[in-house]
Each structure stands twice: as C-alpha cells, then as structure tokens.
Amino acid sequence: QGQPVESGGGSVQAGGSLTLSCTVSEVTYSRNCMGWFREAPGKEREVAARIYTGGGPAYSSDAVKGRFTISEEAAKRRVYLQMNSLKPEDTAVYYCAAYRKRSGTCSESLDYYGQETQVTVSS
C-alpha cells in the first residue's frame, strides 16, 4: 500500500519511443486501476491511459490513442506505458496513478500517485 514506484522517461526526438513502468503493492494492484496522468505548463491535467488491472479493459485519451499502449504484468504488480510516435506536445511531467475500482470500472477517485517523471520530446 502506498505510492507507486516509477521508472522510465527521459528525452527523445519526435517520432521516437519511450517506456514508462510502474510497480505497486499487492493491495494497491488488486484494489486499484492503474494509469498515468500528465501535466504540462499551461495545460490541464490529462489522464493519458488507464487500465483495470487483472485483465480488465484499458482506456487511452484521444490525444494518445493509437500511439500509447498501456499493459500490465500481474505477477510483478507492474504496468507499462509504451509511448510510440512521440510528439513535442507529449512533453509533460507524467505521474503513475492508482484510481479506485468501483462497480467493475475505474472511478475518478485518485488514491495514490508516484513521483514526477519528465518526458521531453524535441522537434
């Protein structure tokens, strides 16, 4: 229980790829949907992708659909965000986040989030 532990991120040129990963406790993994939200200067917080852990559906925002893929590795209580075809507008601080499961879906209730992970995409 507690904060997610993240890895990944960094700087890449437009068109490149990066992978973020996030590991959580067993309790968090079973109780929460996992995903990433991002924050960029002058923009609202955006949930980039989210997955109902344990084999449930995944969601991605229109801005990243077709380019970002969220997946899980249940044995390690880990989720991944594979980011392909990165664009300068993907530049942001990314946070791995745990959202409460509710009635078989992912709610908007944010239980935990991890440390800042900077993703910078240059043109």
Side-chain angles (χ1 to χ4, degrees), residues 32-44:
N32 293 93
C33 295
M34 298 302 303
W36 276 265
F37 66 83
R38 62 186 186 179
E39 295 182 338
K43 296 184 180 180
E44 291 186 0

Side-chain angles (χ1 to χ4, degrees), residues 6-84:
E6 301 182 57
S7 65
S11 298
V12 68
Q13 289 192 323
S17 299
L18 288 171
T19 303
L20 305 181
S21 67
C22 177
T23 305
V24 294
S25 70
E26 186 172 352
V27 171
T28 299
Y29 196 85
S30 63
R31 188 178 68 182
N32 293 93
C33 295
M34 298 302 303
W36 276 265
F37 66 83
R38 62 186 186 179
E39 295 182 338
K43 296 184 180 180
E44 291 186 0
R45 176 182 292 184
E46 176 191 28
V47 176
R50 192 160 52 196
I51 188 167
Y52 191 101
T53 56
Y59 157 86
S60 58
S61 70
D62 288 342
V64 308
K65 196 163 294 186
R67 300 186 297 119
F68 291 12
T69 302
I70 189 168
S71 62
E72 62 174 331
E73 189 173 2
K76 295 183 178 180
R77 308 183 308 278
R78 187 173 295 164
V79 292
Y80 301 93
L81 185 66
Q82 177 65 43
M83 304 184 291
N84 297 328

